[in-house]
Amino acid sequence: MRMKDKVVLVTAAANGIGLACATICAKEGASVYLADYAFDLAKERAAALTAQGFKASALYFNALEKETHAAVVNEVIKNEGKIDGLVNVYGGTTAGKDKTIFEESYEDFIRFVDNHLASVFITTQAAVRSMAATGGGSIVNIASISGVAPDLTSIAYGTSKAAIIYLTKQIAVQAARANIRCNSVAPGMTATDAVKKHVTAEFQEFFLRHTPIKRMAEPEEIAAAVLYFLSDESAYTTGQNITISGGFSLAQPTFADMMAMAGTQLKDAES
């Protein structure tokens, strides 16, 4: 019960990493608010948690509608009198529009960046103002391995996630005196429904060739790191980014070829 009596808001919580974060917090004793643009689904998820004896509610949140960002935080505070934890999960891009520096229009680039940063900045600003008045709290931002390791496409997505990692550090420094901590988690490829639906099997296989732990992360593995940052176990940890990617981007660029070669040599040795 590491989150007993705490109030936690999770954005983009109807599916994937957000749902896993909300679920683990609820199971650890928190009163959890699942905020998502898929409001009906968020209500279903909250009802399922409530039926299991946990405390969960749903709110409407849309990363593309800035008026909803502070509104969900304020609704939580109105209902609970405080907010102890905030998990900013939203992330997304459109492959057909988020391309390279050669192809992407500035309008598309800044729209993607603005969506990501606004969904973190505005919610966090509303949360820290309340946390400062109630004794502190913890904020966790979901970044991405794309914010650590540049890619051949999706320039706006990678740039915005890198900015979120740096924004996390800024918030950590500026809010520390109010007993507010801020950390980020950068997942690699994660086995969410969105990835299974939108990422081809060929690309998944290619990605995993370069991942020392040769599988995708489960959403619950990302949520475990989020829980650590939210809980008092990390009371002296702030401004940190933890990459959970199975070692992707950690090994030498020749990793996949060397592993293939090692496999061939092993077969030769066994024959």
Side-chain angles (χ1 to χ4, degrees), residues 40-59:
D40 288 340
L41 183 57
K43 287 192 289 186
E44 289 179 20
R45 304 299 199 196
L49 287 170
T50 301
Q52 297 175 62
F54 306 120
K55 300 174 184 176
S57 304
L59 296 172

Side-chain angles (χ1 to χ4, degrees), residues 200-211:
T200 65
E202 292 78 12
F203 185 84
Q204 292 180 36
E205 181 181 355
F206 163 78
F207 191 92
L208 294 179
R209 281 183 59 228
H210 298 273
T211 303

